[in-house]
Amino acid sequence: MNAPSWMALLLLVVATLLSNGMAFVGSPNNLIPYKQSPLLSAHQDESSSDGQVDRRSFLSVPLSSVILAGIPSDANAAKGAAEYDLEYYMRDLFMGNKKEGNLPVSNAPPAAPPRTLREPLLPLLLDDELQSSIPIQELARVTAIPIGALAEQVIAFRSKVAPAFQASHPWQRESVTDEYYFDLTCYALWKVASATIQDYAVRDKFVRSIGSRLLNEMVQRQFLSKQSITLLNKNDNKLTDLIPCVIEVLDIFQSTSYCSSYRLGDKNDEERSGLKVFDELDDEEISSPNGAGSVNCLVSIFDPASLGGSLQITGEGSRFSPDFVGPTLAALFERVGAKVDFESYFVDPVYRPNPKDFFPNERFYQFTIARKS
């Protein structure tokens, strides 16, 4: 809608309001996405007897028709967003839109049956005794607290929160091989970690040490192909060289049933996903002193086994939540001699009209791989 049309529309609305008053009603046959498109309608006044156009006659014509009557025909083809927005906000100003009130949170979708986590990766992520897995060992190393004492704290906290956790995600076995019991144990371990590590820099060090050790164990135990192991043992890798390694690492997480699936790259750009997630220009950005010096990489992990605990901790106001994939891939990208930072977000793929409803199934990562200065 051009500027003269806007001015004419606004002047007509104000003039009509001052002289006659107005009423807005919604038309069931004129709806647009997200907002109802209101139309000006007749007030229930008696017809004028002096031969002049009365308010009933005048306001029976939709506002847009009155204004657009003097505009060239191509402007009458369809209402644009501007017309709809003005009608909506004018109706809200004078009549008020429908009040939704304080809507309660809807019931969450029913939980799927828990997956069974398995080797080769599971013993490295968590163990039932909380003695030999990487997170408990790294927590003991960072805090200088014996593993046995940490395990007792984790078990005690897990027992305290188990009833509430089980109500929404019922496990079938009290074992970390059960997806939901794994999730509960992750939550308890990270809560103990947050209580014993107050320094944010040390927390970051703890998380990254988990990813670094996981990657090293994958190499040493030959979870990866010989080609990938050879590449990861080199010091002059390029980002394009590492693409098969990234896919193998993600495949291992999926084959362990840590996640149901994953996506490497931008879902809206097939040219920047999968085996094409990096190209020669990205290699140049990282290696050349004349390059901009940073490359972004997007990764989505669907239905991660630690999702419930991560969401709970995030809801409590902390970003220090269970994570295995993020730090492992960060350690892998560092093999090109780059500095790697990453952020993660939770994504609900379903549009829900109630803003309080949020039931994500995806953890979305954005990695920034930058040339070291």
Side-chain angles (χ1 to χ4, degrees):
M1 192 173 186
N2 56 32
S5 300
W6 269 101
M7 293 299 296
L9 178 59
L10 184 58
L11 289 173
L12 178 62
V13 169
V14 174
T16 305
L17 174 64
L18 293 176
S19 60
N20 298 314
M22 63 176 66
F24 291 82
V25 298
S27 168
N29 296 320
N30 192 8
L31 301 177
I32 62 173
Y34 311 115
K35 301 175 183 176
Q36 183 174 355
S37 175
L39 300 176
L40 284 170
S41 179
H43 226 315
Q44 299 301 318
D45 293 349
E46 295 299 328
S47 300
S48 174
S49 58
D50 58 4
Q52 297 180 352
V53 177
D54 61 15
R55 186 166 42 174
R56 181 188 189 99
S57 305
F58 178 74
L59 293 180
S60 64
V61 181
L63 177 61
S64 58
S65 298
V66 174
I67 296 301
L68 297 178
I71 299 176
S73 59
D74 59 342
N76 287 309
K79 283 188 178 183
E83 290 94 334
Y84 280 128
D85 283 345
L86 182 59
E87 288 186 8
Y88 179 82
Y89 289 117
M90 290 299 293
R91 179 178 184 269
D92 182 49
L93 177 63
F94 294 108
M95 288 284 293
N97 288 301
K98 179 182 178 182
K99 303 299 182 183
E100 296 294 342
N102 190 18
L103 296 176
V105 178
S106 304
N107 293 327
R115 299 189 302 270
T116 299
L117 278 74
R118 50 186 176 269
E119 296 184 352
L121 202 57
L122 177 60
L124 300 177
L125 303 180
L126 278 183
D127 64 293
D128 285 324
E129 293 75 23
L130 295 172
Q131 298 291 322
S132 60
S133 55
I134 289 176
I136 195 73
Q137 290 185 351
E138 287 302 304
L139 182 59
R141 184 183 64 82
V142 169
T143 61
I145 299 174
I147 289 179
L150 290 171
E152 289 179 2
Q153 294 181 47
V154 173
I155 292 171
F157 189 88
R158 182 175 64 186
S159 299
K160 184 188 301 184
V161 300
F165 218 88
Q166 190 175 31
S168 59
H169 293 84
W171 51 81
Q172 298 176 354
R173 300 174 308 282
E174 291 189 354
S175 168
V176 295
T177 59
D178 185 294
E179 174 192 359
Y180 297 145
Y181 201 77
F182 177 96
D183 195 3
L184 168 67
T185 306
C186 282
Y187 172 71
L189 195 155
W190 255 259
K191 290 294 289 185
V192 170
S194 67
T196 54
I197 306 175
Q198 298 295 318
D199 189 298
Y200 290 103
V202 179
R203 289 182 178 182
D204 182 67
K205 180 180 178 182
F206 164 67
V207 172
R208 287 179 178 268
S209 68
I210 292 174
S212 180
R213 277 199 60 187
L214 276 173
L215 184 62
N216 287 336
E217 291 291 337
M218 290 181 191
V219 172
Q220 294 173 10
R221 301 189 185 201
Q222 298 184 350
F223 293 168
L224 304 175
S225 67
K226 291 182 179 180
Q227 181 180 4
S228 291
I229 292 174
T230 301
L231 282 171
L232 291 175
N233 285 327
K234 291 171 55 179
N235 296 322
D236 57 347
N237 290 308
K238 300 178 180 179
L239 284 175
T240 50
D241 296 333
L242 294 181
I243 295 175
C245 303
V246 174
I247 293 176
E248 282 192 44
V249 168
L250 292 173
D251 283 342
I252 290 175
F253 276 102
Q254 184 177 0
S255 65
T256 301
S257 288
Y258 175 80
C259 60
S260 61
S261 60
Y262 66 85
R263 181 176 57 241
L264 174 60
D266 188 344
K267 68 177 181 179
N268 298 316
D269 187 356
E270 294 183 359
E271 296 301 318
R272 298 286 289 176
S273 61
L275 290 171
K276 298 180 289 185
V277 69
F278 299 124
D279 58 25
E280 290 75 10
L281 294 177
D282 296 323
D283 291 335
E284 185 176 343
E285 293 292 343
I286 300 300
S287 60
S288 172
N290 299 322
S294 67
V295 173
N296 289 331
C297 180
L298 307 180
V299 178
S300 293
I301 303 297
F302 298 99
D303 305 304
S306 57
L307 178 62
S310 298
L311 288 172
Q312 178 62 34
I313 289 176
T314 302
E316 294 167 1
S318 173
R319 301 192 67 185
F320 182 50
S321 63
D323 192 4
F324 297 100
V325 175
T328 302
L329 292 182
L332 195 158
F333 292 139
E334 287 173 350
R335 296 296 177 103
V336 300
K339 179 179 181 296
V340 181
D341 294 313
F342 66 95
E343 296 283 347
S344 68
Y345 311 89
F346 300 101
V347 180
D348 185 346
V350 179
Y351 167 74
R352 306 180 193 277
N354 185 350
K356 294 182 179 179
D357 293 345
F358 182 58
F359 309 116
N361 72 335
E362 173 188 350
R363 190 161 189 170
F364 175 78
Y365 295 88
Q366 179 174 350
F367 295 87
T368 301
I369 308 163
R371 186 183 66 249
K372 285 186 178 179
S373 56

